[in-house]
Amino acid sequence: MLVGIALPQYGSQARAESIAPFARDAEAAGFDTLWAGDRALAPVAPGTLYPGCTPDRPYPPEFTTFLDPLAVLTVAATATVRARLGTSTLIAPLHPPLLLARSLTSLDRISGGRLDVGLGIGWLREEYTAVGADFSRRGEQLDEILDLLHGIWTRDPFRHEGKRWTVPEARIGLRPVQTPGPPVHLGGTSEAALRRVGRRADGWAGVVLPPEYAAHLWDTARRAARDAGRDPDALRRTLRYNVPPGTPAESIAEVLRTVRDSGADGCFPDLHRAVREPDEALETGIRALQLLREG
């Protein structure tokens, strides 16, 4: 199993000067992957709650400060040579797909072909309102974005006419290093989301869930792949572990062992809510990695 860690990106760890040394030291310590997430705004009175939160605390307070994920990964790409770089996850419909394709292609080239693209549809209606996107059609928009990305990465000239976007026939000579493009993994924790993973994606950009439910979702993705005439064994699982405050490295390592034993292909702890300082996050992550290896 590939083991990664979330880069310092949001909350009290949102410090641009920490990204490069954190990425460099994490790679030197043996982490296989480095990750960034996506959050556009934190409304004062949101209409929807973050999973597990309450009306008086509708989302983690760390969400009020977020560095741009692709900028963070670009810095990390220039500071490393081996570790793969991933998004878990970009809220795809917030991004114009033509420009998203350009940014992802550029990052894949800058990193020498080390990018894994995790895409999702998010949970916060106000983010869609702020960019003029239709929250009620976010799943449909994600499907169209997948069509656009694949087309831009594999055809030249390229054109697209869809329900949401139209791209006139054009030559787009910029090509990713990876062929036919960076692996695309989809997020989500519903059966509908996992069916889309099976039909359309290279894998699941998931989160650590109760084992029985996680296994059920993964079976859903595999069945959908078979039904679509795809090889279910080609699908990959990479899970984010949102580490609760005060969790010791020993407990993080135990979660990583459980994920590894489930057959997942990758897992990474996100320590933004567990500790305040990037150095402390890296120290805790390195200790958990050492304990995992010893076990």
Side-chain angles (χ1 to χ4, degrees), residues 88-140:
S88 179
T89 56
L90 287 179
I91 307 168
L94 303 186
H95 302 265
L98 177 65
L99 302 184
L100 178 62
R102 183 180 65 181
S103 295
L104 295 174
T105 303
S106 299
L107 180 52
D108 193 59
R109 294 186 67 87
I110 290 168
S111 67
R114 292 185 282 139
L115 178 64
D116 291 311
V117 179
L119 301 177
I121 57 176
W123 55 275
L124 189 56
R125 183 182 298 271
E126 285 82 359
E127 288 180 317
Y128 281 75
T129 300
V131 301
D134 188 347
F135 184 77
S136 67
R137 304 180 74 177
R138 59 197 186 280
E140 178 182 294

Side-chain angles (χ1 to χ4, degrees), residues 123-278:
W123 55 275
L124 189 56
R125 183 182 298 271
E126 285 82 359
E127 288 180 317
Y128 281 75
T129 300
V131 301
D134 188 347
F135 184 77
S136 67
R137 304 180 74 177
R138 59 197 186 280
E140 178 182 294
Q141 291 172 20
L142 175 58
D143 280 324
E144 190 171 348
I145 289 169
L146 294 174
D147 292 338
L148 275 153
L149 290 176
H150 180 74
I152 290 170
W153 286 336
T154 60
R155 302 200 303 271
D156 192 22
F158 167 77
R159 67 187 300 270
H160 173 83
E161 291 187 10
K163 291 183 178 180
R164 176 68 173 84
W165 293 281
T166 297
V167 179
E169 187 171 28
R171 296 194 178 279
I172 303 175
L174 188 67
R175 283 289 179 266
V177 173
Q178 299 178 88
T179 303
V184 175
H185 303 254
L186 300 180
T189 57
S190 68
E191 291 190 4
L194 271 294
R195 285 193 291 270
R196 181 180 284 112
V197 169
R199 294 194 311 268
R200 307 275 335 242
D202 296 297
W204 181 27
V207 295
V208 172
L209 297 167
E212 289 187 5
Y213 186 57
H216 167 70
L217 290 177
W218 189 237
D219 287 343
T220 298
R222 289 177 57 84
R223 284 196 304 272
R226 284 192 293 268
D227 292 344
R230 307 178 73 210
D231 178 7
D233 293 334
L235 296 176
R236 299 182 65 80
R237 279 179 289 171
T238 299
L239 307 181
R240 184 180 71 248
Y241 171 38
N242 293 316
V243 182
T247 304
E250 291 78 6
S251 297
I252 296 172
E254 186 57 38
V255 171
L256 293 174
R257 289 189 194 98
T258 299
V259 173
R260 181 185 62 191
D261 293 347
S262 75
D265 301 284
C267 186
F268 70 96
D270 182 336
L271 288 140
H272 283 89
R273 283 171 265 171
V275 300
R276 292 191 56 80
E277 301 295 326

Side-chain angles (χ1 to χ4, degrees), residues 55-76:
D56 62 325
R57 191 177 181 272
Y59 45 75
E62 292 81 7
F63 283 5
T64 58
T65 306
F66 246 89
L67 293 170
D68 179 83
L70 297 183
V72 168
L73 290 174
T74 299
V75 173

